[in-house]
Amino acid sequence: AQSVTQLGSHVSVSEGALVLLRCNYSSSVPPYLFWYVQYPNQGLQLLLKYTTGATLVKGINGFEAEFKKSETSFHLTKPSAHMSDAAEYFCAVSPRNYKLTFGKGTLLTVNP
Amino acid sequence: GAGVSQSPSNKVTEKGKDVELRCDPISGHTALYWYRQSLGQGLEFLIYFQGNSAPDKSGLPSDRFSAERTGGSVSTLTIQRTQQEDSAVYLCASSLGQYGGAGELFFGEGSRLTVL
């Protein structure tokens, strides 16, 4: 079985500051890992994903995440927050099939 | 349109009534999913379709919930005898291929259901 824990339901940063959203997972098989973003009143959009190969993956809008197997983590970072990054972010895990299990989400607020 | 389309976008109903929620996936996407999003609960998997078949319906909360897909395209989620705890946003997603294209799901904007 798979599960995802996102540490912090709400993260607040200042514009220009580092963004760090934490995700830990459990999986009985080598996983695929994902981050999705949801802007207000919109559906979810894929930010980035890890399937195989390089453990540091880059996504859209300057976000990146690093798969650390030893820590069972897949934290999302961005060096400098922008006001437009304010949204809810979801980490998800898949046992390499159709099934995605999502975390409960982290709401990111960016202060001017 | 090019994206996943859901209707209605908002539905207010009275307890005990039946509701139908519709999803029109991206053309050519064989996989279709329904998720439920409740405040503070994240996304809860409901059902997965591959073509018109539903090999995984393990997330449907009760026998009041059912879903079908026809023509390998449009899907309808039906909730009978709605209860207040059914209030949530119901999200539909589609993807290419049997294995979801390595997880790239394309989501609609959701149908917000409010049960009074």
Side-chain angles (χ1 to χ4, degrees):
Chain A
Q2 288 65 238
S3 67
V4 175
T5 301
Q6 291 186 239
L7 300 175
S9 59
H10 187 192
V11 170
S12 182
V13 300
S14 298
E15 192 172 18
L18 171 72
V19 176
L20 170 60
L21 305 182
R22 300 178 186 272
C23 172
N24 288 89
Y25 70 91
S26 68
S27 179
S28 54
V29 299
Y32 290 159
L33 294 160
F34 313 87
W35 277 98
Y36 281 79
V37 61
Q38 185 178 32
Y39 297 102
N41 299 314
Q42 294 187 25
L44 278 73
Q45 175 185 359
L46 182 66
L47 261 183
L48 51 78
K49 65 182 180 184
Y50 168 79
T51 54
T52 57
T55 56
L56 180 64
V57 294
K58 296 184 185 297
I60 61 173
N61 301 335
F63 284 93
E64 61 183 37
E66 186 171 10
F67 169 53
K68 291 187 176 181
K69 182 179 178 180
S70 61
E71 299 177 8
T72 60
S73 69
F74 192 57
H75 302 330
L76 182 70
T77 60
K78 182 175 180 178
S80 177
H82 192 272
M83 297 294 290
S84 61
D85 295 327
E88 190 156 22
Y89 292 80
F90 293 90
C91 182
V93 62
S94 165
R96 303 193 171 206
N97 64 14
Y98 66 88
K99 191 90 169 265
L100 260 69
T101 300
F102 287 85
K104 294 187 176 183
T106 297
L107 182 65
L108 176 66
T109 302
V110 182
N111 303 307
Chain B
V4 176
S5 178
Q6 292 188 246
S7 62
S9 55
N10 276 287
K11 175 72 175 179
V12 180
T13 191
E14 294 180 348
K15 178 182 173 181
K17 296 287 182 71
D18 297 352
V19 297
E20 286 189 351
L21 308 176
R22 176 189 167 104
C23 173
D24 202 338
I26 293 172
S27 177
H29 281 193
T30 59
L32 186 146
Y33 306 74
W34 284 97
Y35 283 85
R36 181 167 68 176
Q37 185 176 24
S38 305
L39 193 63
Q41 295 302 311
L43 276 76
E44 175 188 11
F45 169 83
L46 297 178
I47 189 169
Y48 159 68
F49 286 94
Q50 181 57 235
N52 292 335
S53 299
D56 188 349
K57 52 180 76 171
S58 62
L60 295 178
S62 74
D63 59 7
R64 296 187 296 106
F65 287 72
S66 63
E68 65 173 10
R69 188 178 185 194
T70 56
S73 180
V74 172
S75 176
T76 302
L77 177 68
T78 301
I79 309 172
Q80 296 179 310
R81 304 180 302 281
T82 53
Q83 304 294 312
Q84 289 184 333
E85 60 263 29
D86 299 334
S87 296
V89 177
Y90 291 82
L91 291 169
C92 177
S94 69
S95 68
L96 286 168
Q98 182 175 3
Y99 295 110
E104 185 152 10
L105 304 188
F106 294 83
F107 282 83
E109 295 186 357
S111 293
R112 181 177 298 277
L113 175 65
T114 302
V115 182
L116 302 178

